[in-house]
Amino acid sequence: MKKVLLLTDVNFWERSSGNRARIYSLVNYLAGQVQLTVVNTGPAPPNIETALGATFKAEFHVLEKTKYLSSTGYGRRLKALIKDRHFDTVIIEYIHSSYFLNFLIEDTQVILDAHDIISKRAEEFKKFDHAGALYELSAETEKELFSVYDRIMVLCSDDFDTVDAMAGSGKALLCPHPVEPVAHPIRPEVKNIVFAASAYLPNRDAINWFIKNCWPHISAKYPVILQIYGTVCSGIGASGQSNVILNGFVNDIESVYGLADIVINPVRFGAGMKIKNVEALAHGRPLVTTAHGARGIESGINNSFLVANDQEGFIRAICLLIDDIALRKELSKLAHRLIGNHFSAQNCFKSLIEAIS
């Protein structure tokens, strides 16, 4: 069995955001396919390694449980931890963790799980006057970093093409986020429109835009409630708006989708695949998102979910769903079909396992 080392600075076991859910799914899948060792920078709870070992068939280490270290500090601890150990493949989560490359002590295959193309994300943020809001790289620097890796994992086909152009044909691995279909009833009457997200800037922008431009028209016509979940609630301006409930963070995402009659994601900018959209489709919920939000799930546009890109389009799409239960049922059925056909863990990580093997 191949030996794989996965390096991450994300507390993926909490699964409170899309990226954490993505790493959780990757660890869960690899643990059943390879001899997996996961190293987390920390900080972390004191018993987390034992708890994770009981959850997954893998070995877990946290480099520092009580405080943050410099990249050199983490690197030295990693080097000591893996001294005299062999790994067939090393996977590094996020390009900002490339400093780990300086502390690997043998020549082995190294794969970057990129999640997003950072230079493209920076361009998107700049278009909406948010330049410098997040970690940035120029396209030239990102290309140089890509050249150090043997393979680069991305979540959607647009990013696959970008990596092919920047790093050379054959380096990119298309590895979307896997989900399992979950059945929920489609209720005759729409009561709850749901948005669930982290406090990531594009999420705050999306829901504030929707509340300001779309919600007054919808709430004036229908007795429906806009239910908002997640840490995004801390950045929402809903003063004076009727039927908007800020629920905050909840551990049980299943109950959130169980409550939802319609899910929205009016995201206008960002990068990568929108994991919250894939999760909504997996739960069979009628979804309205933007063309940007549809990255990586383009084959489902206007058959498995609806796409709108402006105020008029969002209002029209949501009103259509509220009035038409047959359409909601059809979208739910086709959403499950899309997920079942394309987003199983085996399908999503097939190219990664082939690269490891």
Side-chain angles (χ1 to χ4, degrees):
M1 183 176 283
K2 296 292 184 179
K3 295 181 180 180
V4 174
L5 173 64
L6 189 146
L7 304 174
T8 180
D9 63 357
V10 175
N11 295 339
F12 62 90
W13 51 86
E14 296 175 352
R15 289 197 290 175
S16 58
S17 68
N19 289 337
R20 289 178 178 180
R22 151 71 174 194
I23 298 174
Y24 186 99
S25 297
L26 176 61
V27 170
N28 187 50
Y29 180 74
L30 286 177
Q33 304 294 321
V34 300
Q35 187 175 328
L36 180 64
T37 300
V38 180
V39 174
N40 189 284
T41 56
N47 63 341
I48 193 64
E49 292 151 321
T50 302
L52 290 172
T55 302
F56 304 95
K57 296 178 181 178
E59 176 185 349
F60 294 87
H61 298 277
V62 177
L63 296 177
E64 171 53 55
K65 293 190 177 72
T66 62
K67 61 181 182 293
Y68 291 98
L69 302 178
S70 66
S71 58
T72 300
Y74 287 130
R76 287 173 176 169
R77 292 197 181 187
L78 172 68
K79 188 172 182 177
L81 176 67
I82 64 174
K83 183 180 179 182
D84 300 324
R85 297 187 62 176
H86 165 75
F87 296 97
D88 299 292
T89 298
V90 176
I91 299 173
I92 295 178
E93 294 294 331
Y94 296 105
I95 200 167
H96 66 249
S97 294
S98 295
Y99 66 86
F100 277 128
L101 294 167
N102 298 317
F103 300 93
L104 300 179
I105 55 179
E106 65 171 302
D107 184 20
T108 187
Q109 175 176 231
V110 185
I111 297 175
L112 171 66
D113 190 5
H115 292 257
D116 298 333
I117 308 299
I118 302 302
S119 56
K120 289 179 66 175
R121 184 181 73 185
E123 291 173 2
E124 288 281 316
F125 273 54
K126 187 176 181 180
K127 290 177 185 176
F128 285 81
D129 297 323
H130 295 297
L134 284 182
Y135 170 75
E136 293 185 355
L137 287 173
S138 67
E140 293 76 14
T141 301
E142 194 162 29
K143 181 178 179 179
E144 289 177 8
L145 287 170
F146 283 165
S147 71
V148 181
Y149 289 90
D150 297 294
R151 298 293 185 89
I152 299 151
M153 297 164 60
V154 294
L155 278 74
C156 61
S157 56
D158 281 354
D159 289 351
F160 182 94
D161 293 340
T162 298
V163 170
D164 251 9
M166 294 175 72
S169 179
K171 273 202 172 185
L173 301 173
L174 181 58
C175 300
H177 177 65
V179 284
E180 294 294 329
V182 180
H184 295 287
I186 299 296
R187 290 174 283 268
E189 183 180 354
V190 170
K191 295 182 179 179
N192 297 298
I193 298 173
V194 166
F195 179 76
S198 70
Y200 181 49
L201 178 57
N203 296 333
R204 301 199 309 269
D205 171 87
I207 194 59
N208 281 317
W209 174 86
F210 179 84
I211 290 172
K212 178 182 178 181
N213 294 285
C214 305
W215 186 245
H217 302 273
I218 296 166
S219 60
K221 186 175 181 181
Y222 300 98
V224 292
I225 299 172
L226 179 59
Q227 303 272 6
I228 304 174
Y229 292 87
T231 55
V232 71
C233 290
S234 63
I236 292 175
S239 177
Q241 295 285 354
S242 61
N243 295 333
V244 177
I245 299 179
L246 306 181
N247 295 283
F249 175 75
V250 294
N251 283 313
D252 184 11
I253 195 65
E254 305 291 329
S255 66
V256 172
Y257 287 116
L259 174 81
D261 296 300
I262 296 169
V263 173
I264 60 167
N265 185 11
V267 61
R268 302 194 295 168
F269 65 97
M273 171 181 277
K274 311 309 174 202
I275 289 176
K276 66 177 68 64
N277 284 351
V278 181
E279 290 180 338
L281 296 174
H283 285 266
R285 283 333 197 186
L287 169 69
V288 185
T289 190
T290 59
H292 178 80
R295 296 183 77 223
I297 50 175
E298 291 90 350
S299 63
I301 291 176
N302 291 333
N303 57 69
S304 301
F305 57 93
L306 301 183
V307 162
N309 293 306
D310 55 23
Q311 174 187 8
E312 182 181 333
F314 257 91
I315 294 169
R316 185 190 313 114
I318 291 171
C319 291
L320 180 64
L321 289 173
I322 291 173
D323 290 333
D324 194 340
I325 184 175
L327 176 59
R328 299 201 306 275
K329 287 182 175 180
E330 181 68 9
L331 289 176
S332 178
K333 180 182 74 174
L334 293 175
H336 274 156
R337 183 181 298 173
L338 176 69
I339 295 300
N341 288 343
H342 300 289
F343 292 95
S344 68
Q346 184 176 359
N347 282 340
C348 290
F349 296 132
K350 179 182 177 182
S351 62
L352 173 62
I353 289 300
E354 289 174 350
I356 291 170
S357 298

